[in-house]
Amino acid sequence: ASFYKAFRLERWFELAVRGADQLRQRMAFALSEILVLSDVGALVYKKEPIDLGELLETCIDKHGQLTSKSNLTVTLELPPTHPEQELGVFGDPDRLLQVFDNLLQNSCRYTNSGGEVHVRVFEDGNHVLVEWFDSAPGVSDEDLAHLFDRLYRVEMSRNRAKGGSGLGLAICKNIVNAHDGSIAASHSPLGGLKLTIAFPRYQHTLD
């Protein structure tokens, strides 16, 4: 009996330590998110010439298991020729990857099973544009106006039951702004959300 009690106590202690580690990891991640939301002037961005097409390919490949589990079809549309300088921006690859990671995770979290995500990246004059479309459910006009507000979460189709901190799109906006870019939300022709992101184009040839 004493052996059984000792085993149960050891097992309880093991679970408690594991739970504490998981909580510490979640708190560290939340703190990281909050820090990103701070004044962009206080953040250090390690900017370099990068290709947005390649960065988006990395993001989609990275989350292949998640999109498969969510039963979503993800397509990336690049220009037919795609010379490197055409989609070049001057930015922090880790921070920009964080933006695209967040968008794809949101699409997986909120889009109905069997839906789709279509990402289009192209050059438009002095800018590189990323258009992000996902399928139903959509959001109301009222919700569209607040999607980038801190701690705002849509209460209807894309709802609290799906989780999330309510910081994701606000973080994305901060990072995009720090790259002299812009991000806007609208209704997707696929039935869900459309996000349009514009960055100044870096017009030197990338190594």
Side-chain angles (χ1 to χ4, degrees), residues 128-144:
V128 177
L129 268 60
V130 177
E131 292 182 333
W132 192 285
F133 308 86
D134 63 26
S135 53
V139 299
S140 69
D141 291 335
E142 179 182 0
D143 287 326
L144 280 177

Side-chain angles (χ1 to χ4, degrees), residues 36-160:
V36 174
L37 279 171
S38 64
D39 181 8
V40 294
L43 296 175
V44 176
Y45 282 83
K46 299 178 180 179
K47 295 182 179 181
E48 60 187 65
I50 55 176
D51 182 278
L52 277 190
E54 292 181 358
L55 201 64
L56 283 162
E57 288 176 332
T58 298
C59 172
I60 292 171
D61 289 343
K62 174 182 175 182
H63 294 287
Q65 186 174 356
L66 176 61
T67 55
S68 178
K69 182 179 179 180
S70 301
N71 193 25
L72 296 182
T73 300
V74 181
T75 56
L76 174 61
E77 180 183 348
L78 298 173
T81 52
H82 186 204
E84 286 186 337
Q85 65 269 27
E86 184 177 353
L87 301 179
V89 301
F90 191 71
D92 184 323
D94 292 332
R95 291 296 188 189
L96 292 180
L97 185 60
Q98 183 181 358
V99 170
F100 300 135
D101 284 346
N102 205 313
L103 298 186
L104 189 52
Q105 289 165 4
N106 276 357
S107 290
C108 288
R109 179 179 293 123
Y110 297 118
T111 304
N112 291 339
S113 177
E116 60 182 308
V117 178
H118 182 75
V119 184
R120 179 179 177 233
V121 55
F122 58 98
E123 175 267 334
D124 183 21
N126 293 324
H127 291 83
V128 177
L129 268 60
V130 177
E131 292 182 333
W132 192 285
F133 308 86
D134 63 26
S135 53
V139 299
S140 69
D141 291 335
E142 179 182 0
D143 287 326
L144 280 177
H146 298 284
L147 283 181
F148 300 104
D149 295 350
R150 299 181 187 190
L151 304 179
Y152 184 84
R153 284 183 289 188
V154 177
E155 295 292 343
M156 301 301 290
S157 299
R158 295 174 176 245
N159 59 45
R160 286 181 183 272

Side-chain angles (χ1 to χ4, degrees), residues 195-207:
L195 294 166
T196 303
I197 311 172
F199 296 103
R201 184 162 68 95
Y202 188 75
Q203 301 187 36
H204 297 277
T205 302
L206 300 174
D207 294 331

